[in-house]
Amino acid sequence: EKINMRYLSSVIAVILATTTTTTTAFSAPSKTKVPSWETLESILSPTITKTKPNTYTYSETQNNPSILLNNNNQYVFYRDTNAQCPYAQRVHLALELKQLDYTTVLQTPRNNKEDKHGGPLLGLPDGTLIYDSIQALEEIQKISSDVSPNLFPRVSGSVDGVRANINRRSYIFPRNTIFLEGVVPSLFKNNAENDDGTVEMVAKSNHDVTCEEIDEMLEEYPDGPFLCGEPISACDISWMPFVERYVSQLPLLYPEVKPRSDFEEIKVWLDAMERLNPCYSCVVRGDAMTYGMQLVNALKKKQKEGVLKMDDSTISIMEKSVSTTEDPIGIKRKRRGIVYNPSNVWSTYAQNKDYLANTPHEECASCLVKLRHDLFDQITDQWCKEEGRDKEDMDMALRQVINCILTDFTSSEDEFCFVDGALSKLSGDARDVASMVNECISVPRDMGAIPASVLRKLVLDAPKPRIL
């Protein structure tokens, strides 16, 4: 009797499909072949086809004002397109903590100002625009007073501790400093000896005092890890955008000063921010690579303008340090008996959000697929400098990187890492393109800090690229 080969093939296919297991929510592609973009999009579907709802560019709202008029009385969050403004970050975190529905409008860079020149931060349903971030926090608390956390709790019968501690930041951080784009405004000042427009670093001794005072301030309310004890308040929200930049950028200027590792209360505070507030870790927080690159770029710009006396070798050392430093956001750790696991934090936040992947590594892969055309525009010139390489090689190399992230990364209760030996199998081209793309990714503009940590980890742990 003849065998029906078509039937036999279908039976074998069903058997293989029902006996193959995967460790992620997506079916993993074969490791023996680099998948096409179509295959990757299919694997990452339906998440890859969705975006955060009610997000528009400023020009879209100007061309079509009805967008904001028909937003079901939602609040409007105005965020800079590069997600670099610390004042907008305050408002974003408050809206997320309160789990309010809001429309996001992406506007041009705000120049880090809290006035009409910087642009609004929050729009109220009646059309009122708020330009001051603390006023925005007060408004958010007023309309969500029945929702935890209370952003302005009375921690003392006689003193408004929250507002008092908000104001202390300007006294504890170094004073008389200047703003450099992308740099926390505590690291540089005008040259005291010459009135020639040149700038210089704030002395290390000033930073030693700042870190000690923050550490002591955190001890004033021993009933919790936050600035006013427990739980998080507007005080933490107002400080955090500046603190996260400070702890990332300061060690690049003074490697011997390490606020996060050398000061116990600061360490516990930042751990609590990341572990207890998933929205902060997943969509609001920046990361060390992003802040480090912003500092390096600002220094290069000022050096080129002739207002910063810093030699090329010093900046090169900083740049190398940026690319070799791992942000704690992607490190599973245990402190004082409490475990921080990036996978758990991400799954808590991503639950019931169909525009986010179930795991950090799947979200990282999804974002890279979505961003690939912009990434290629940024790295093509650098890629093609090496003789014999073309755009097709670059395209395949990025697909290999994404395939590795999907098939060889473990996001689980016990692990947050690549499978042993997986990264050594990456081609030289894949390692090169991963390194280039890694420098282009800005957090949280392009993806959240936890998903980005997967790509950062790949670049750090893989055999070194041929291009440095």
Side-chain angles (χ1 to χ4, degrees):
E1 186 177 4
K2 291 184 178 181
I3 299 175
N4 186 327
M5 295 304 296
R6 180 177 296 179
Y7 172 75
L8 182 59
S9 297
S10 65
V11 170
I12 293 173
V14 170
I15 293 173
L16 289 174
T18 55
T19 57
T20 301
T21 60
T22 62
T23 58
T24 71
F26 300 126
S27 57
S30 170
K31 297 182 185 180
T32 61
K33 181 181 178 182
V34 179
S36 65
W37 292 115
E38 291 76 15
T39 301
L40 290 172
E41 289 174 345
S42 175
I43 293 167
L44 293 164
S45 181
T47 301
I48 199 166
T49 63
K50 300 179 181 295
T51 58
K52 189 177 186 300
N54 300 319
T55 300
Y56 308 96
T57 63
Y58 183 74
S59 60
E60 286 175 331
T61 64
Q62 293 299 296
N63 296 332
N64 185 8
S66 64
I67 289 175
L68 298 184
L69 294 175
N70 300 324
N71 69 343
N72 298 318
N73 290 322
Q74 287 188 1
Y75 287 78
V76 181
F77 167 49
Y78 291 89
R79 199 205 80 189
D80 54 310
T81 51
N82 288 328
Q84 291 184 12
C85 176
Y87 303 109
Q89 198 174 1
R90 286 173 168 177
V91 177
H92 191 192
L93 179 53
L95 289 167
E96 285 285 338
L97 284 169
K98 288 288 194 173
Q99 300 183 52
L100 295 174
D101 291 329
Y102 60 91
T103 295
T104 302
V105 175
L106 304 177
Q107 57 184 359
T108 53
R110 294 177 34 79
N111 299 320
N112 293 288
K113 293 182 179 180
E114 291 189 282
D115 55 28
K116 291 188 178 181
H117 296 290
L121 289 165
L122 183 68
L124 306 186
D126 63 4
T128 301
L129 297 177
I130 297 178
Y131 297 84
D132 180 84
S133 60
I134 301 303
Q135 183 184 350
L137 299 189
E138 292 172 338
E139 178 64 29
I140 290 169
Q141 173 57 33
K142 184 168 68 175
I143 55 97
S144 62
S145 58
D146 57 337
V147 179
S148 296
N150 181 355
L151 302 185
F152 292 90
R154 294 293 295 189
V155 294
S156 169
S158 58
V159 178
D160 188 343
V162 173
R163 286 181 174 81
N165 279 348
I166 288 174
N167 294 331
R168 287 171 73 179
R169 186 182 65 83
S170 60
Y171 299 102
I172 289 179
F173 276 86
R175 282 168 278 181
N176 302 317
T177 57
I178 60 173
F179 168 73
L180 301 181
E181 185 177 355
V183 180
V184 62
S186 306
L187 302 181
F188 292 90
K189 62 179 182 177
N190 288 317
N191 192 309
E193 297 180 0
N194 303 311
D195 188 19
D196 57 1
T198 57
V199 300
E200 61 183 2
M201 294 192 306
V202 172
K204 173 183 173 296
S205 58
N206 290 13
H207 298 300
D208 291 334
V209 172
T210 293
C211 293
E212 289 169 3
E213 290 191 0
I214 295 174
D215 216 49
E216 291 171 0
M217 181 179 172
L218 285 160
E219 293 177 335
E220 293 175 3
Y221 294 92
D223 58 325
F226 300 105
L227 283 172
C228 290
E230 186 78 49
I232 187 175
S233 70
C235 184
D236 305 282
I237 295 172
S238 70
W239 277 62
M240 196 50 57
F242 300 95
V243 170
E244 67 181 49
R245 289 162 173 79
Y246 191 66
V247 301
S248 295
Q249 294 176 341
L250 178 59
L252 296 173
L253 298 173
Y254 295 106
E256 64 273 30
V257 183
K258 301 173 182 177
R260 179 150 191 162
S261 59
D262 294 346
F263 294 87
E264 181 64 19
E265 298 305 319
I266 294 177
K267 189 188 326 181
V268 171
W269 179 32
L270 297 178
D271 277 0
M273 282 295 303
E274 293 159 1
R275 178 174 51 83
L276 299 177
N277 305 289
C279 62
Y280 171 68
S281 300
C282 296
V283 294
V284 179
R285 184 190 188 278
D287 76 343
M289 179 81 179
T290 299
Y291 293 139
M293 290 304 298
Q294 288 173 2
L295 173 62
V296 168
N297 291 336
L299 296 181
K300 287 180 177 179
K301 180 180 179 181
K302 290 300 176 183
Q303 184 194 49
K304 187 175 181 180
E305 293 172 354
V307 298
L308 175 68
K309 296 178 180 178
M310 184 177 288
D311 56 71
D312 291 337
S313 61
T314 301
I315 297 179
S316 295
I317 291 172
M318 286 188 201
E319 194 164 10
K320 185 174 182 180
S321 179
V322 169
S323 63
T324 56
T325 301
E326 185 169 13
D327 193 305
I329 196 72
I331 302 174
K332 182 183 175 184
R333 56 190 183 270
K334 184 177 183 180
R335 185 169 289 125
R336 295 184 178 181
I338 301 174
V339 175
Y340 165 80
N341 186 327
S343 297
N344 294 345
V345 173
W346 177 264
S347 62
T348 298
Y349 181 76
Q351 188 175 12
N352 299 324
K353 296 180 176 69
D354 62 0
Y355 57 92
L356 296 176
N358 292 336
T359 66
H361 70 277
E362 293 162 348
E363 178 69 11
C364 178
S366 182
C367 290
L368 290 176
V369 173
K370 291 178 183 178
L371 292 167
R372 66 185 186 274
H373 298 299
D374 289 337
L375 293 171
F376 287 150
D377 287 343
Q378 294 179 67
I379 71 173
T380 295
D381 289 344
Q382 182 183 1
W383 177 266
C384 293
K385 280 181 180 178
E386 186 168 322
E387 187 176 353
R389 294 204 304 198
D390 56 28
K391 294 181 180 180
E392 289 185 6
D393 298 326
M394 179 177 64
D395 184 285
M396 178 173 287
L398 183 56
R399 284 186 282 118
Q400 187 185 8
V401 169
I402 295 171
N403 185 35
C404 178
I405 289 171
L406 281 174
T407 61
D408 294 319
F409 193 86
T410 303
S411 299
S412 68
E413 291 280 344
D414 302 315
E415 296 183 282
F416 191 77
C417 60
F418 283 92
V419 175
D420 287 343
L423 299 182
S424 62
K425 299 175 184 177
L426 285 173
S427 67
D429 280 358
R431 286 179 271 131
D432 283 351
V433 84
S435 181
M436 294 176 191
V437 165
N438 189 45
E439 293 185 4
C440 296
I441 294 297
S442 179
V443 175
R445 183 194 67 191
D446 299 323
M447 65 178 78
I450 291 179
S453 72
V454 176
L455 176 64
R456 312 295 199 208
K457 200 179 291 285
L458 182 151
V459 174
L460 278 173
D461 295 347
K464 293 296 176 270
R466 293 165 293 178
I467 296 177
L468 285 174

